[in-house]
Amino acid sequence: MVDAFEAYEEDYCSISASISRKISELPSVSKAKSISTVNELEKEISAGERILHQMENVVKGLAPIARTKLMPKVTRFRSDLDTLKRDYRRVKTKYISAEGREDLLGLGNRNKDSGVESSDPRTRLLDTTDRISQSNKRLEESHRLASQTEEVGVAIMSDLRVQRDTLNRARTNLRETDSNLSRTRKILNSMARRIITNKLILGAIILLELLCLGLVIWFKYFK
């Protein structure tokens, strides 16, 4: 699972670098080239979204400790992609849309300054909208991160409870084993005492038999 995350991470870093490079090149390319660049950016942004979604799924399937370690990285990538999308919309609105409006209205360089001036309120409105959208996304991301952190905390607590139960069972088994060993030790000591007692009795019987045999011999041959 970690290997899959690292592969997705490598793919995202490559796409992120490509998106950033194309956004910086977009204002300086020709009108014909800008259309293909915009299409490529749209596809790469969608691919970045899919990769981040896959990374989130991978992280959700990891153990709590690994999840806690990798989730901030996914959050950072998500914030990076949101920033790239905002930059892309701003550049697209400022350069591509402005050129399209000039073509439709038949405006040339003669009216360029007035066109820029008339687009300033729209640009400011778009910037304000982007900032509001950015704030909303940061708030949503904070809620999502808090929810994920809570899930990780619950999972860790669950693992700790399982480990505590396992330790309690091991402690109980150890007590039972110790009790069984004590009983076994008592039985072995009792058996050892019985063996010693039996040996003493057997020795006494042998001595008694020897004594009786000696008395018989003495009475038979010496009396």
Side-chain angles (χ1 to χ4, degrees), residues 150-169:
E150 183 179 359
E151 292 177 359
V152 172
V154 170
I156 291 174
M157 290 298 295
S158 178
D159 288 345
L160 289 176
R161 281 195 295 270
V162 171
Q163 292 176 7
R164 183 187 62 187
D165 293 340
T166 302
L167 289 175
N168 288 334
R169 286 195 297 270

Side-chain angles (χ1 to χ4, degrees), residues 184-207:
T184 303
R185 191 180 300 110
K186 290 178 181 179
I187 293 172
L188 290 176
N189 290 336
S190 177
M191 291 176 63
R193 287 194 298 269
R194 289 179 182 177
I195 291 173
I196 294 172
T197 302
N198 291 336
K199 287 182 178 180
L200 292 174
I201 294 173
L202 181 62
I205 293 173
I206 292 173
L207 289 175

Side-chain angles (χ1 to χ4, degrees), residues 130-141:
D130 285 340
R131 284 195 294 271
I132 294 174
S133 176
Q134 181 180 359
S135 299
N136 291 334
K137 288 183 178 179
R138 280 200 298 265
L139 184 59
E140 292 175 358
E141 187 67 25

Side-chain angles (χ1 to χ4, degrees), residues 23-41:
I23 290 175
S24 63
E25 293 175 352
L26 189 58
S28 59
V29 299
S30 63
K31 188 178 300 184
K33 177 66 175 176
S34 65
I35 297 175
S36 62
T37 302
V38 166
N39 291 332
E40 292 173 1
L41 281 168

